[in-house]
Amino acid sequence: MREQLVKTAQKLVTVGLNKGTSGNCSIRDEAGFIITPSGVDAEDMTANSMVKMQLDGSFETNKKPSSEWFFHRDIYQQRPEVNAVIHTHSMFATTIACLHKNIPPFHYMIAVAGGGSIRCAPYVLFGTQALSDTAMLALKDRKACLLANHGMIAMGASLEEALAITVEVENLCEQYWRLLQITPTPALLSDAEMQAVFEQFKGYGRWNP
């Protein structure tokens, strides 16, 4: 699991979703979760760098978990179907988040995040319980959200699913940003049209709810 987490953290950098020490990811284990460390470049991470945490907030001695461990912990406590969480400062998700905009259903793939929109949580200082509290509200009935003036959270039943959602949300954010250069009011899909997408996804495999 630690090796898998290292590979995911490094892939996030390789595909341009994180840079330097920004962002973090975690995976649930039998007693809590394992999370990437604070302030370590992904290329320098090893399996031993990963930090095992308990749901009470305690962690391995002589290690320092990502400062964003609060929302990782809260997601695992409140969302039993989630086994992996990814947080990025990717370019377009962060750009839209800095505009404090929810992403509306301009494209049917919005459904991969679990609803008819991708919400943007209000700005709160990083590395705090307050940030986690606002993120949990934005993630209600969703698999991803934006964090104002900060970045994105995505999650899934596995690291593979969480990564796939992260990539798709970033792609949607880029498309939405480009649309906003043309018009402030792009055409949107209706609730009925989005519901039909969810029904179609039920037989689609990867995005099966």
Side-chain angles (χ1 to χ4, degrees), residues 63-79:
K63 291 187 178 183
K64 186 177 181 181
S66 166
S67 61
E68 303 293 15
W69 65 263
F70 292 94
F71 63 70
H72 289 261
R73 186 270 310 276
D74 291 350
I75 288 169
Y76 292 129
Q77 283 185 323
Q78 299 179 36
R79 300 286 294 270

Side-chain angles (χ1 to χ4, degrees), residues 25-40:
C25 51
S26 69
I27 186 169
R28 187 193 293 271
D29 72 358
E30 70 285 349
F33 60 102
I34 302 169
I35 191 168
T36 49
S38 176
V40 179

Side-chain angles (χ1 to χ4, degrees), residues 129-193:
Q129 182 61 53
L131 174 63
S132 179
D133 294 342
T134 62
M136 294 306 298
L137 291 174
L139 286 168
K140 181 177 173 59
D141 302 319
R142 297 290 192 272
K143 295 181 179 180
C145 75
L146 304 183
L147 302 173
N149 306 95
H150 189 155
M152 171 218 312
I153 299 172
M155 56 196 191
S158 64
L159 274 172
E160 291 82 4
E161 182 187 15
L163 180 58
I165 292 172
T166 302
V167 170
E168 189 57 47
V169 169
E170 174 67 2
N171 186 52
L172 288 162
C173 287
E174 179 176 0
Q175 292 170 346
Y176 188 50
W177 179 84
R178 293 182 184 280
L179 270 176
L180 293 178
Q181 311 312 300
I182 301 170
T183 173
T185 56
L188 303 179
L189 300 177
S190 68
D191 290 345
E193 287 169 328

